[in-house]
Amino acid sequence: MAFTFFFRDTHTIEHMVKQLVPEVAGRSRVRIWDAGCAYGPEPYTLAIILAENMGNFAFKNVYIDATDIDESGQFGTIIKDGQYTDEELGRIPPEIMSKYFIKAENRSGYSTLTDTIRNRVQYQTHDLLSLKPIGGGFSLILCKNVLLHFQYAERIEVIKMFHTALTPGGLFASEQTQKMPEECAHLFTQVVPDAQLFRKVG
């Protein structure tokens, strides 16, 4: 199973949220694609931070599509159930834990996300190398700890696919170690100097 945990790389996620929230104010539907979501800690972390920065009414308009190739066949069930071990949740601040998690009644050592957060995230299996986006009109696409596993030419094509799936001015975020390929540089402008966060051009 993929290695990940809650509240990983919050520095980049907080940059995303700071840029995204003012831009989507008043929209009736805000689409986000987390490509390479593993079994859910990343999209749920994003959902929690968005909930903390948006009013309840606005947050209900957020729809996060979480995708992965999922060779384990378990990601969808885990994300739907929203149950995670105390160890997996160990990095979450106590005030966030008490607000968005409840102790699981049926599993010792597990906690369950509240419906407020779970209802915002939907999972589907998807292979990025198909180069077919799961849809369009995304205000934010994040693809972290995935592109490094692809060949350079494959990264270029996947990033171009993300560009087509974003709304005008939409945001794209990748892992800190993956710089934007020169072949894609004209498609995006970097938003902040200390994170791989970019805005769609054109």
Side-chain angles (χ1 to χ4, degrees):
M1 188 166 288
F3 173 74
T4 187
F5 47 82
F6 279 81
F7 278 61
R8 183 182 188 184
D9 192 17
T10 53
H11 171 79
T12 298
I13 293 177
E14 286 171 353
H15 271 309
M16 294 181 213
V17 171
K18 183 178 180 180
Q19 294 291 326
L20 180 68
V21 170
E23 294 179 9
V24 300
R27 294 187 191 176
S28 60
R29 187 175 180 87
V30 180
R31 295 195 69 191
I32 296 169
W33 180 6
D34 187 335
C37 67
Y39 58 97
E42 183 176 78
Y44 279 137
T45 296
L46 175 60
I48 289 169
I49 295 176
L50 281 168
E52 287 291 287
N53 286 271
M54 302 175 79
N56 291 336
F57 181 79
F59 182 63
K60 290 179 181 179
N61 297 326
V62 171
Y63 298 84
I64 301 175
D65 289 298
T67 69
D68 210 304
I69 197 166
D70 191 13
E71 295 175 347
S72 73
Q74 301 176 48
F75 293 173
T77 300
I78 294 171
I79 291 172
K80 181 180 178 181
D81 292 343
Q83 286 191 352
Y84 297 90
T85 66
D86 294 340
E87 182 179 0
E88 291 167 322
L89 305 176
R91 292 171 177 254
I92 299 178
E95 64 274 16
I96 297 295
M97 275 295 300
S98 62
K99 189 173 181 179
Y100 296 108
F101 290 86
I102 57 174
K103 287 291 183 181
E105 296 180 359
N106 57 336
R107 300 175 79 183
S108 177
Y110 281 76
S111 293
T112 305
L113 281 150
T114 62
D115 289 346
T116 300
I117 300 300
R118 279 199 297 157
N119 290 344
R120 306 274 51 85
V121 177
Q122 298 294 324
Y123 174 80
Q124 62 179 291
T125 301
H126 180 260
D127 182 358
L128 289 173
L129 293 180
S130 71
L131 302 180
K132 296 178 180 178
I134 61 170
F138 290 100
S139 297
L140 167 66
I141 297 176
L142 58 156
C143 183
K144 297 165 75 258
N145 306 302
V146 177
L147 295 176
L148 74 167
H149 298 294
F150 295 163
Q151 298 295 321
Y152 186 79
E154 293 172 335
R155 288 179 213 155
I156 292 170
E157 295 307 312
V158 170
I159 291 171
K160 287 180 178 178
M161 174 187 68
F162 289 150
H163 181 269
T164 64
L166 285 165
T167 59
L171 298 166
F172 166 63
S174 66
E175 59 264 29
Q176 195 64 18
T177 58
Q178 289 300 313
K179 307 304 180 185
M180 180 66 69
E182 289 184 10
E183 293 84 350
C184 299
H186 66 289
L187 299 175
F188 297 91
T189 57
Q190 190 163 0
V191 176
V192 291
D194 58 341
Q196 294 299 299
L197 179 62
F198 303 88
R199 188 179 306 283
K200 175 178 176 174
V201 173

